[in-house]
Amino acid sequence: MSSFFTTPGAQKKRKRPSTTEAPKKRLATKTGPKAPTNGLGSSRAAPAQKKPIERDESISGSDLDSDESGDELPDRAGSDAGSEESENEGETAAEKRLRLAQRYLEKTRKEVEEFDEYAFDAEEIDRDLLAERLEEDVAEAKGRVYRQLAAKLDFQKASHTQFRWNSGTVTSITVCAPFAYTATKDGQLTKWRLQELPKDQWPQTTKKKPKKPPAPPKRKPERICYSKSNSTKAKDKTYQGHTGSILTVRASQDGKYVVTGGADKRMVVHDAATLKPLRAFTHHRDAVTGLAFRRGTNQVYSCSKDRTVKVWSLDELAYVETLFGHQDEILDIDALAQERCVSVGARDRTARYWKVPEESQLVFRGGQGGEKKAASKVKKESAAHQGSMDRVSMIDDELFVTGCDNGDIALWSIHRKKAVFVIPCAHGLETPMKPTEISADKEPDEKMVPAPQPRSITALRTIPYSDVILSGSWDGCVRVWKLTEDKKKIEVVGILGSQSSEEPRSDGLVNGTHEVQSKEGDENKALIRGIVNDIALFERGDRGKDGLCVVVATGKEMRLGRWKVVKEGKCGAMVFEVPRAPKQNGVVDNVSDDED
């Protein structure tokens, strides 16, 4: 019985590959030491040695030499970055966090030394300044109040200037330093360049002392460009601009977009450089009354008289979603860094705090009584009930303030359903009417004269993440308030545009000087003539070290109607430059000039 094991070796035939199969390709290897042979004398290399051979080929010096000889060397900056990455390649996660923290501390230390001119080199003082700055950064990231600016700004020494142009009532204003954008009832959108501080306007280019005195600083803003609505395109669905009055305007933080909303039910996105309309959205069913950008992003919240809040993304120029809940037209909206916004619903007397990702809302009802109010000398006949909640502005992600038609400014917290604190008749009462204006009798009875009513809050603005609050009405000034440290009260700080008896200043402050007002209660000679319809502001310098710039929009009429008309009002805007309070050894000096 024959088998493989019993067959003689001479009869064994070696199996050969078929002619159809292609011969296997051998890999060319470099000349080197001869591979070891096995015990049968075969010179074939082991399979495990193939990978080392290929790796040796890829990192061989001859290949690198040929590459460098044929091509030019890469950029040195890229090689330095690559070397830095290679140095940090082997570090752990803890080491990376430590390295980034050390870099952040070094950067913060340099900023603190540049900001504070009284920053000494002592280790303890540096440590305190760094700790304060780190606390501010953490509070800012968490959305809490972290800056006490009211005591660091001198509102009584603010300079001013007014600029006007041939337009209707200015309904809204916004600022993206150094530019300001205004919107009017006659459909004009105008871009302005605000003047720099005097020290930055005419910089000295040589080391020699100039022979001529410096030129006087520029005061009034310069108009860059403008665009106007076209009422003839009202039925043209392809038209990308406005066809009616513009009621609100906001600019993105990066300076790329300017968004406007109007009575024509349109929200138009403009190019900030040229004010050319990019896209017009017609999703709202009624007039667009308010806009708000989410800080640091191009996400926009819009509110309308159709009782809805809509969310937009300007990066894609797209509509995102709609928020429902208000029972009356929405008049104002505000937002900060997180995906939260607050809106007020006019005569439903509610403020709603929208949590967009969670698709939920918190409702705060006003006018119910029981709130803690500031002491007021207003008579009961003049104390009006709250009828409409018109204005809102966020202080941080937990606190916001609202303004009403009865003159009340209310402080709200998301942890309480009722107002934390209320200031009644914040802008006082209107001028009482004369008996001859009430009756046609020769000797009219004074009892027929109705009690004067409080002035409505027509503008409200805060410095985000700070304690400064500004409000406006038609009493000829902008009132400044501050939030107390316990975040439970609002106190008076000062007045912008108050009638001052000081002499004109000669310190070269930009945007105007003080004016002497002879008659203190005369509204016809008030500094701000007209109704304050909107307030915009920004801080000068790094973290406000050069003061605060406040821009106020004024007009003869209110922005949403004509139920209040000031005949002596001026349609335009006014710029206030608020300097920082003087320091003595790093401490703010609150002593008045009269005591000196």
Side-chain angles (χ1 to χ4, degrees), residues 289-290 303-305 328-333 343-347 388-391 559-560:
T289 55
C303 64
S304 170
K305 289 185 177 181
D328 196 17
E329 55 190 30
I330 309 174
L331 300 184
D332 198 10
I333 192 170
S343 60
V344 288
R347 296 200 174 274
S388 175
M389 198 176 289
D390 298 335
R391 284 297 193 175
R559 70 183 188 107
L560 297 178

Side-chain angles (χ1 to χ4, degrees), residues 28 30 53-71:
K30 302 226 175 255
I53 291 173
E54 294 177 0
R55 184 174 65 247
D56 293 341
E57 290 178 2
S58 62
I59 63 175
S60 61
S62 61
D63 294 341
L64 291 177
D65 294 340
S66 62
D67 293 341
E68 291 181 0
S69 61
D71 301 330

Side-chain angles (χ1 to χ4, degrees), residues 87-271:
E87 291 177 0
N88 301 328
E89 185 176 359
E91 65 180 357
T92 62
E95 293 174 349
K96 183 177 181 180
R97 287 195 297 268
L98 179 61
R99 176 172 58 83
L100 295 177
Q102 291 175 349
R103 184 187 301 177
Y104 173 74
L105 287 174
E106 184 65 25
K107 180 181 177 182
T108 307
R109 184 181 290 108
K110 292 180 181 179
E111 292 180 357
V112 168
E113 291 176 357
E114 293 177 358
F115 174 72
D116 195 347
E117 57 183 352
Y118 297 101
F120 300 97
D121 296 333
E123 184 178 357
E124 295 182 357
I125 297 179
D126 289 343
R127 191 175 300 170
D128 294 341
L129 292 173
L130 282 174
E132 182 180 358
R133 176 65 179 273
L134 292 174
E135 289 177 358
E136 291 179 357
D137 292 343
V138 171
E140 181 179 6
K142 292 184 178 180
R144 299 174 182 173
V145 175
Y146 69 97
R147 290 189 297 172
Q148 306 294 332
L149 295 180
K152 299 179 182 179
L153 296 172
D154 195 349
F155 292 96
Q156 301 300 326
K157 296 181 180 180
S159 61
H160 68 271
T161 187
Q162 186 177 15
F163 59 101
R164 297 171 54 198
W165 63 103
N166 189 14
S167 68
T169 297
V170 182
T171 56
S172 183
I173 193 167
T174 187
V175 171
C176 180
F179 301 105
Y181 303 87
T182 58
T184 60
K185 274 191 176 182
D186 55 0
Q188 287 190 15
L189 174 63
T190 311
K191 179 179 180 180
W192 305 83
R193 181 191 294 274
L194 300 176
Q195 301 297 343
E196 298 290 340
L197 295 175
K199 64 178 182 179
D200 301 328
Q201 287 191 19
W202 311 108
Q204 186 176 350
T205 57
T206 60
K207 295 183 180 179
K208 296 181 181 180
K209 187 177 180 181
K211 297 180 181 179
K212 297 181 180 180
K218 297 180 180 179
R219 296 173 53 186
K220 292 189 176 182
E222 301 175 1
R223 186 165 68 170
I224 305 298
C225 57
Y226 72 96
S227 65
K228 193 171 182 179
S229 61
N230 190 352
S231 59
T232 61
K233 301 286 186 179
K235 297 183 180 180
D236 188 358
K237 296 183 179 180
T238 61
Y239 183 63
Q240 299 299 323
H242 277 290
T243 60
S245 301
I246 303 177
L247 302 179
T248 179
V249 59
R250 290 294 178 265
S252 61
Q253 197 170 357
D254 57 2
K256 292 183 180 180
Y257 303 104
V258 175
V259 186
T260 56
D264 53 0
K265 309 176 186 179
R266 292 180 175 227
M267 189 190 83
V268 182
V269 182
H270 303 264
D271 180 18

Side-chain angles (χ1 to χ4, degrees), residues 27 47 61 72 134 150 171 190 195 283 483 539:
L27 295 174
E72 294 181 359
L134 292 174
T171 56
T190 311
Q195 301 297 343
H283 293 64
L483 181 68
E539 296 181 70

Side-chain angles (χ1 to χ4, degrees), residues 407 426-428 454-459 471-479 528 530-533 535 552-554 558:
H427 282 260
R455 298 185 178 96
S456 303
I457 306 299
T458 57
S471 63
S473 186
W474 55 85
D475 56 346
C477 61
V478 173
R479 299 185 182 270
I528 301 178
I531 301 174
V532 178
N533 285 322
I535 300 173
V552 179
T554 62
M558 304 183 81

